[in-house]
Amino acid sequence: MMRSFQRLPLALACALLASAAGAAPPVATPAASAPSMLGFTVDRAAEQRDLEQRFDASLSASDQRAWLKLMSSQPNHVGSPHDKANAEWMLARFKEWGWDARIETYSVLYPTPKTESLELVTPQHFKAKLHEPPVPGDSTSAIGGALPPYNAYGGDGDVTAGLVYANQGMPDDYKELARRGIDVRGKIVITRYGGGWRGLKPKLAQEHGAVGCLIYSDPRDDGYGAGDTYPKGGWRPEDGVQRGSVQDMQQYPGDPLTPGVGATADAKRLAIKDAKTILKIPVLPISYADALPLLRALDGPMAPRAWRGGLPIAYHLGGGDSAKAHLVVQSDWSRRDIYDVIAVMKGSVEPDQWILRGNHHDGWVFGAWDPLSGNVALLDEARAIGMLAKSGWRPKRTLVYASWDAEEPGLLGSTEFAEAHADELQRKAVMYLNSDTNSRGFLDMEGSHSLQHVLNAVAAGVEDPETHASVLERARARMRVDGASDGASGEDKENAAIAAKGGDLPIGALGSGSDYSAFLQHLGIASLNIGFSGEEDQNGVYHSRYDSFDHYDRFGDPGFAYGVALSKVAGHTMLRMADADVLPLRFSDFSDTFGRYVANLHQTVDGMRKDTQAEHALLDAKDYALVSDPTRPVGPPARDSDVPAIDLAPLDTASSQLQQSARAFDAAYAAHVASGAKFAPAQQQAIDTAMARMEQALTDPDGLPGRGWYKHMIYAPGLLTGYGVKTVPGVREAIEQRRWDEANRYAAITARVVDGYRAQLDALTAAMKP
Ligand SMILES: [Zn+2]
């Protein structure tokens, strides 16, 4: 059912070599002291900076604020009247600003709660409120029309069972429960947020035999333990609930009934019972006010120290039948229409090269932080670009701006669009640039490493609104300070060392959690995800009714200066990608990063081997049994398999050869741009197309083991981390999960994919030479 992926035929790439010979003779370019701009001659770089200044002059913090207020004035979840009204309002704005705009509608499975209840039935009765009351000073918190708090794509069920506290509900937590003799089969598991993606908690509970799952926000890190609660401060109040999807997105995101194809009206659909991404057991998210009586009722062993949260109780694990709960969840399993707003500005020179930009517009309730703060920055960019167009400028390449629907339940709007237009996107898309929640703070940069340099160069030219340093220098300072802190990880230290050299900052790799997934990991389109965040972050209202305009205006970005800063970073990146003489991609940044990933795989295997040997020595000496308190015994951990030799040599070879090829390409590229020579338009387009398709060469048609929707062999969301990224995932996950044969096999497969990428790069280098 999965589509197979077209690679750039080498014959075409080699044909570029011949056509390049017909290039115009080099034109002398004036020496100038202006900083260089990748992909532009010195003269063209000056023009581009002028264009960016005119773009900046059109941005408006006060309009972003007014748009946020309007769009978050009513509940705007999928299927709500205001969600559709927002889409239609944006459509009218894009048209008014001179864009060729349309709404694309998809029909998706979107369950909404019909019945929800949660009661403690033993040892005493308590009925959970499952409701977020109005708070003073928050003008939308009393408005009707919202859905009750729920987890989309949990199963239907009516169960009464004993409760077990399973900490964060991650794999290691179940190992600890087992050491204490606690089995969750037939039980309702209560977990706290944190440690991994929410959807993994009920999935792992289900796999361990539980009949229901509760997820609550513990006040230690998501409430009064972090700071003053709303409305006094910005942190989660006692009745605040974190909603969210529990779809099994690690299999595939998007509409559960149409994996791999667009959810158009006439699409072929799976039966609901056959959809692999829908859970079987009922799940509910609850507040810490509702969790407290349940946790207080538990007896059994004390929870390990690290599992205890900020509630005023001793945390016990439960496990018997002395604390029993009754959980009911029934949903309406209807299909709903979703509305993607798509705006196009056709390129004047290379209309079939698409530069894409997106942010979603649906929220869980009002969605002021998530997602509208990023969405209004995107709208401001679109208006500023419209004004440039009205003054006579046109982009060389085509700009596509999108506001997605239905991101929250599982990236549905962007995934269905990407699947419906897969062939055309793989032929034409050069880049997808995503944003989502935005607030005061530091620029976060993640994405495909071929785009690392252009994003760094843009960030160096945008001023931080509060410190007046560039947003890049502020991000660098944080990277260096983080690397020197007590809790610094190996990666933090490595990043700090790179940052200290003063050049480009390393950008993070993309896992999942927003709308880039289908573009990057399914189609192989180079992608970026950016946004500002990270000040003593007061977003304690994530996915709750209190994620409102009033909250955002006080704690998110008062004055909306960081909304404007996001518009600048995103807008300049879009304009440089659209107007560069040669696409500003730098493959050596990818090859260097890949080299670090391979080195890290070696360290991982060596570290696991040492740790396993040390653990086996403790087990053999029966030390665990001897330290266990005889009156409260804790069993030894299960014995892991030995770590054999893993053959990473194919990756080492592929990596070092790729680094040489990437240097050769950089040299040919620099020489070409410096010469001022121009290819004929058709030849330039062929080179652009080949460059744009480089990222697709990192995909494999068979995809990752057990989850073929994910085709990218370098970046993927972790099976057991959810949003968190796994780099070189076929190999890394096999190692971490001790599937040694699979690790060897994917080392060879990944090396072969990287060799294919190198061959395409060599062909491009040849084409670029005069
Ligand atoms: Zn979002």
Side-chain angles (χ1 to χ4, degrees), residues 591-613:
S591 67
D592 290 350
T593 305
F594 180 67
R596 288 209 301 282
Y597 293 161
V598 173
N600 182 269
L601 285 173
H602 282 282
Q603 289 163 11
T604 301
V605 172
D606 295 346
M608 278 176 77
R609 185 175 296 115
K610 265 193 210 132
D611 291 350
T612 302
Q613 284 164 354

Side-chain angles (χ1 to χ4, degrees), residues 20-67:
V27 181
T29 49
S33 57
S36 65
M37 188 185 280
L38 189 67
F40 293 81
T41 61
V42 174
D43 289 348
R44 291 270 298 112
E47 280 172 34
Q48 191 70 12
R49 287 202 177 83
D50 178 62
L51 182 78
E52 289 169 1
Q53 275 179 11
R54 287 193 285 143
F55 168 91
D56 291 354
S58 303
L59 300 172
S60 165
S62 62
D63 284 346
Q64 290 195 24
R65 184 175 184 275
W67 297 339

Side-chain angles (χ1 to χ4, degrees), residues 623-710:
D623 285 342
Y624 283 107
L626 202 53
V627 298
S628 173
D629 178 343
T631 70
R632 278 171 296 216
V634 175
R639 192 181 182 95
D640 284 325
S641 59
D642 287 314
V643 180
I646 304 293
D647 186 10
L648 298 175
L651 290 171
D652 294 332
T653 307
S655 170
S656 63
Q657 290 180 342
L658 176 60
Q659 292 190 32
Q660 284 179 26
S661 288
R663 299 279 173 262
F665 175 81
D666 281 358
Y669 181 111
H672 169 73
V673 174
S675 76
K678 294 268 183 284
F679 294 115
Q683 296 156 359
Q684 181 59 55
Q685 178 150 347
I687 287 179
D688 278 0
T689 301
M691 287 181 77
R693 287 192 191 174
M694 283 297 295
E695 190 87 9
Q696 284 178 50
L698 294 173
T699 64
D700 185 81
D702 294 332
L704 293 175
R707 43 181 185 147
W709 188 91
Y710 287 96

Side-chain angles (χ1 to χ4, degrees), residues 172-518:
D172 285 347
D173 296 328
Y174 285 95
K175 292 181 187 164
E176 289 297 318
L177 285 176
R179 292 180 65 188
R180 287 157 180 80
I182 293 178
D183 189 340
V184 304
R185 273 178 291 180
K187 306 290 184 190
I188 295 171
V189 164
I190 178 165
T191 60
R192 64 184 172 112
Y193 271 109
W197 184 57
R198 100 171 62 69
L200 289 169
K201 299 166 193 278
K203 181 188 177 186
L204 291 168
Q206 177 177 306
E207 285 174 1
H208 284 86
V211 296
C213 181
L214 302 168
I215 315 173
Y216 82 102
S217 305
D218 195 282
R220 188 176 68 185
D221 28 55
D222 192 7
Y224 52 73
D228 286 323
T229 58
Y230 196 52
K232 186 183 181 205
W235 294 99
R236 191 175 300 276
E238 62 173 355
D239 292 314
V241 182
Q242 183 191 141
R243 291 155 185 75
S245 178
V246 292
Q247 183 191 82
D248 192 359
M249 259 184 264
Q250 286 68 50
Q251 302 298 317
Y252 59 88
D255 176 25
L257 304 185
T258 60
V261 297
T264 51
D266 57 352
K268 207 168 154 241
R269 287 177 162 77
L270 298 175
I272 291 178
K273 68 172 173 42
D274 297 327
K276 278 202 302 188
T277 58
I278 302 174
L279 297 180
K280 307 287 185 212
I281 63 171
V283 194
L284 262 193
I286 60 176
S287 66
Y288 52 88
D290 276 342
L292 177 59
L294 306 181
L295 290 167
R296 186 165 14 220
L298 294 178
D299 55 12
M302 278 293 290
R305 192 163 286 278
W307 292 24
R308 302 174 201 168
L311 290 170
I313 51 167
Y315 284 68
H316 288 267
L317 297 175
D321 280 334
S322 58
K324 261 193 181 167
H326 179 207
L327 168 66
V328 184
V329 182
Q330 307 285 350
S331 293
D332 171 358
W333 292 88
S334 306
R335 268 162 48 192
R336 311 273 165 169
D337 282 345
I338 59 170
Y339 307 99
D340 288 342
V341 187
I342 310 293
V344 178
M345 186 175 290
K346 206 168 177 186
S348 60
V349 181
E350 296 186 40
D352 286 343
Q353 297 279 311
W354 293 359
I355 317 294
L356 293 108
R357 167 89 173 94
N359 195 105
H360 70 104
H361 65 80
D362 65 301
W364 277 113
V365 187
F366 303 103
W369 286 72
D370 181 7
L372 295 173
S373 56
N375 193 71
V376 297
L378 175 150
L379 289 177
D380 211 4
E381 294 160 45
R383 180 179 56 180
I385 289 169
M387 289 174 79
L388 292 176
K390 279 183 184 150
S391 75
W393 167 88
R394 297 299 291 184
K396 282 175 61 178
R397 301 180 183 84
T398 293
L399 293 170
V400 181
Y401 267 65
S403 183
W404 311 116
D405 201 354
E407 187 268 0
E408 292 296 358
L411 320 179
L412 279 73
S414 55
T415 300
E416 299 314 318
F417 175 88
E419 290 175 342
H421 299 280
D423 295 339
E424 192 171 17
L425 285 165
Q426 288 189 318
R427 275 184 285 119
K428 298 180 178 175
V430 176
M431 172 187 79
Y432 173 68
L433 169 55
N434 190 70
S435 62
D436 199 321
T437 302
N438 187 61
S439 65
R440 291 176 62 233
F442 301 85
L443 178 64
D444 300 310
M445 306 190 287
E446 300 174 306
S448 299
H449 288 84
S450 56
L451 291 163
Q452 175 169 286
H453 178 71
V454 68
L455 182 55
N456 266 269
V458 164
V462 173
E463 186 182 285
D464 176 72
E466 294 178 0
T467 64
H468 307 294
S470 77
V471 297
L472 185 73
E473 289 316 305
R474 201 155 187 243
R476 182 189 312 281
R478 182 174 69 164
M479 205 170 265
R480 297 187 64 181
V481 169
D482 283 355
S485 73
D486 287 345
S489 67
E491 189 186 349
D492 290 339
K493 288 176 188 163
E494 195 179 17
N495 286 342
I498 298 169
K501 291 182 191 157
D504 287 346
L505 297 182
I507 65 174
L510 284 172
S512 188
S514 196
D515 288 305
Y516 47 80
S517 234

Side-chain angles (χ1 to χ4, degrees), residues 8-18 690 759-760 763-764 766-767:
L8 171 69
L10 276 179
L12 167 62
C14 295
L16 296 173
L17 173 64
Q760 294 197 19
L764 259 172

